[in-house]
Structures are given as C-alpha cells and as structure tokens.
Amino acid sequence: MFVLGIETSCDETGVAVYHPEQGLLAHALYSQVKTHAEYGGVVPELASRDHVKKLIPLIRRVLGEAGLTQRDLGGIAYTRGPGLVGALLVGAAVARSLAWTLNIPCVGVHHMEGHLLAPLLEPDAPEFPFIALLVSGGHTQLVEVEGIGGYRILGESLDDAAGEAFDKTAKMLGLGYPGGPEIAKLADEGRADRFDFPRPMTDRPGLDFSFSGLKTHTLTTLATTEGTRQDKADIAAAFQAAVVDTLLIKSRRALRETGLKRLVVAGGVSANRLMREKLDDMARKEGYRVYFPRLAFCGDNGAMIAYAGCQRLLAGHVEPAEIRAQPRWPLTELTPP
C-alpha cells in the first residue's frame, strides 16, 4: 500500500510517499523560514496561504519522483494536530478531498507521534519499548513508549519548550529566526565556561522541565556585559550547554527510573550537534542506545506523517470521513490502532 503523507502543522509544507515493504519512495519539503524571518516568528495567516500555494505542486512532484499516479495510492495520512488551526485545515482539506475522490482510507496523524516515530524510518530502527525525548519549538516531553499509540508522559516543560527558549534567547542576542541554528552557530565562537548558567529543575526529583528562567538569566547576564560579539558568543555557548545538560540529565533519569535501555530523540532540536554528541557519549559510557532521525527528518516533514499513518492504516485504523483539525491535542489521548 502506497501512503501519501501531508504535513502542514506550522510553517513547513511536507509531502512524502511511503510503502511498508519498499520504504520511503520520495519526499519533499518547502520551508517558509524566509517569509517569517522578518517578523521574528511564524505569522499564522501567512503560513496558511503558503500551504495553499505549495501543497498541490508538492504532491504532484513527489508522486512523479516516486513513479506513481494518484490512482496508485492506497491511503493518505495528514497532520490533524496539534498546530496552527489554519495551517492544519489546509492539509486536512486537501487530504480528505483527495481520499474521497480516490475512494481510499484517510487518517489524521498526531504531529508529535510523527516525530516520535521518525527514527523508525532509519535502517537501524529501535525496537519497542523505549524512552522518547521529544524536543521542539512547541514541545519538550519525556515519553515512555510501549508501542504505537501506547504512550505515558513521564515529564514535560512547565513553561517554554526548549526550541521556543532557543528562539527567544536568539532574539535577545540580536540573532535571526529560527533561533536554534543561529545560537548553535554563534556558540561555536564562544566559551561555555565564562558565564555560570543554571540547569533548571535538575536538583530536585522528577522529570519535568522549565526553560523560562534561562531566558531571564540570559537577559540579566547580557546586561552585565558590553554586548560585543564575543560577549554574545560566550552567552550563546553557556545557554546552549545549559539546555543540553538539562535534557541529558532528565533523559538519563528517565532511563534509570524505567529500567529501559533505548532512548529515541526527535523533534527540531534533535538536530543540535552538541546534544547529539553528549547523548551519544552518555550512551557509550553507560550502556544505553540512543537513536536520532536523520537531519532532514528532525524538523517537520511529510515522511514521518506518511510512516505513522501507514502503521495505523495497516492496523485497521478507521476514521469518519470528516475534515478535522485539532490545534490542541494531548499525546496521551492517542490509543493503539
């Protein structure tokens, strides 16, 4: 069964075709970063308009690259939520309309389930169960994963997500959007040990996160300097190290408390080089296995939606034929297909 995956939750238009035996056949992504960069963040109305413009051409392109036509499709998966409601409705409307026309099943996929399962697209995919660290612009969660749809939240951010904290800190430092790559790039020029940044909530029990205090600490630290490029580079390095250390400490704690040996790291922040290096080092030293998606699939993409949707369709997942978007959708509401 060839499954078309459509991702339009925010400012990336992603399309892919996946087959359970042949794997990923083709994928394409259109990024709106340049459109939103001048505003310092995503403008929902502009995001929706761009999805309308780009989605159909991307579907045609991906089907052509896969050597398929619409009639070859056996199912369609789209991101139902969470995300920006206007952007979600674009993908939902196109997916449902195409499925009705072709008389094939269609399934709405949880955006974070897509991220969580993205590493399973790789040849060296993890087996269930495992711990998942979902770390992106909108979410920071530790999840115990028993299988598809079997999720237990162990901890999550009580305020800003890690990716959001990167974006806001980058803005304080006069850097561009998105903030994660900009801070990582500037941090390469800095010394992480010049300034003392806290590792929030690591000195107490539990697996929840908090990153808002790091933003405040960044602002007060910046005020004590002359604001030179070197000052900002040192602050960027210290901030990045604090976030990465916090994520590592909590992930190790989750592994120890559950007794599991496999850690899956997914979401946009999983592309951060320092975090990958430190988690890989922890895994080698302490007998764990850590899995990342390839860099192209760390951010939002259609491949993860096609894969997640395919697994649910193969398991017989059925939904009513309705155009539906869920801008707020807790991961814990999902059930096994």
Side-chain angles (χ1 to χ4, degrees):
M1 175 172 62
F2 296 104
V3 176
L4 178 71
I6 295 173
E7 156 61 22
T8 62
S9 65
C10 193
D11 61 337
E12 310 276 280
T13 311
V15 178
V17 175
Y18 180 83
H19 188 277
E21 296 176 358
Q22 299 178 33
L24 185 66
L25 278 75
H27 65 95
L29 184 73
Y30 172 75
S31 174
Q32 303 175 11
V33 166
K34 290 183 179 179
T35 299
H36 301 284
E38 62 179 294
Y39 303 101
V42 178
V43 181
E45 177 62 23
L46 295 180
S48 301
R49 290 180 184 181
D50 252 5
H51 288 312
V52 171
K53 293 177 184 177
K54 301 296 182 181
L55 186 51
I56 297 300
L58 277 182
I59 291 174
R60 290 172 177 159
R61 172 183 158 186
V62 166
L63 288 175
E65 291 178 358
L68 304 173
T69 68
Q70 293 181 7
R71 294 292 175 184
D72 294 314
L73 295 174
I76 299 177
Y78 68 95
T79 303
R80 194 169 90 197
L84 303 175
V85 65
L88 291 168
L89 283 170
V90 174
V94 170
R96 287 293 177 187
S97 299
L98 187 56
W100 286 333
T101 301
L102 299 173
N103 193 29
I104 58 177
C106 185
V107 60
V109 172
H110 192 290
H111 181 73
M112 296 313 294
E113 181 173 63
H115 275 303
L116 186 153
L117 298 177
L120 275 67
L121 284 162
E122 306 305 323
D124 184 25
E127 297 180 356
F128 298 111
F130 55 75
I131 297 297
L133 172 63
L134 301 179
V135 55
S136 67
H139 297 80
T140 302
Q141 296 177 319
L142 279 165
V143 185
E144 184 176 5
V145 180
E146 291 295 331
I148 294 176
Y151 310 127
R152 181 168 71 97
I153 305 297
L154 302 175
E156 58 191 339
S157 180
L158 303 179
D159 39 60
D160 291 348
E164 182 183 4
F166 268 107
D167 288 339
K168 291 179 179 178
T169 298
K171 193 170 184 178
M172 291 180 200
L173 297 177
L175 304 176
Y177 172 85
E182 293 293 319
I183 284 185
K185 182 178 178 181
L186 183 59
D188 286 341
E189 304 175 23
R191 288 175 34 231
D193 60 352
R194 177 182 169 189
F195 298 108
D196 184 21
F197 271 55
R199 274 57 176 165
M201 297 184 70
T202 58
D203 59 349
R204 66 187 76 174
L207 295 168
D208 287 330
F209 301 89
S210 174
F211 295 105
S212 62
L214 283 176
K215 295 184 308 179
T216 304
H217 195 84
T218 298
L219 191 61
T220 56
T221 301
L222 182 61
T224 66
T225 72
E226 296 180 358
T228 66
R229 181 173 180 83
Q230 189 59 54
D231 291 332
K232 292 180 179 181
D234 293 341
I235 290 172
F239 172 84
Q240 177 181 240
V243 172
V244 169
D245 285 350
T246 300
L247 295 171
L248 184 148
I249 290 168
K250 295 286 186 170
S251 296
R252 177 194 284 122
R253 188 176 296 174
L255 290 164
R256 288 177 176 175
E257 290 183 4
T258 60
L260 296 175
K261 296 294 185 181
R262 291 181 289 271
L263 174 69
V264 163
V265 186
V269 183
S270 67
N272 182 277
R273 178 172 53 82
L274 180 65
M275 184 173 71
R276 286 183 172 234
E277 290 175 353
K278 287 202 169 187
L279 286 173
D280 276 336
D281 186 59
M282 176 201 73
R284 283 194 301 270
K285 291 179 178 178
E286 301 180 28
Y288 298 118
R289 288 287 305 276
V290 61
Y291 301 84
F292 298 94
R294 70 190 77 169
L295 291 177
F297 297 156
C298 288
D300 297 348
N301 63 88
M304 68 183 192
I305 302 304
Y307 178 83
C310 182
Q311 304 312 307
R312 288 190 167 270
L313 288 170
L314 288 174
H317 188 101
V318 177
E319 292 184 356
E322 61 183 13
I323 296 174
R324 187 181 180 193
Q326 287 185 250
R328 296 183 182 277
W329 189 9
L331 188 64
T332 50
E333 289 185 1
L334 294 182
T335 58

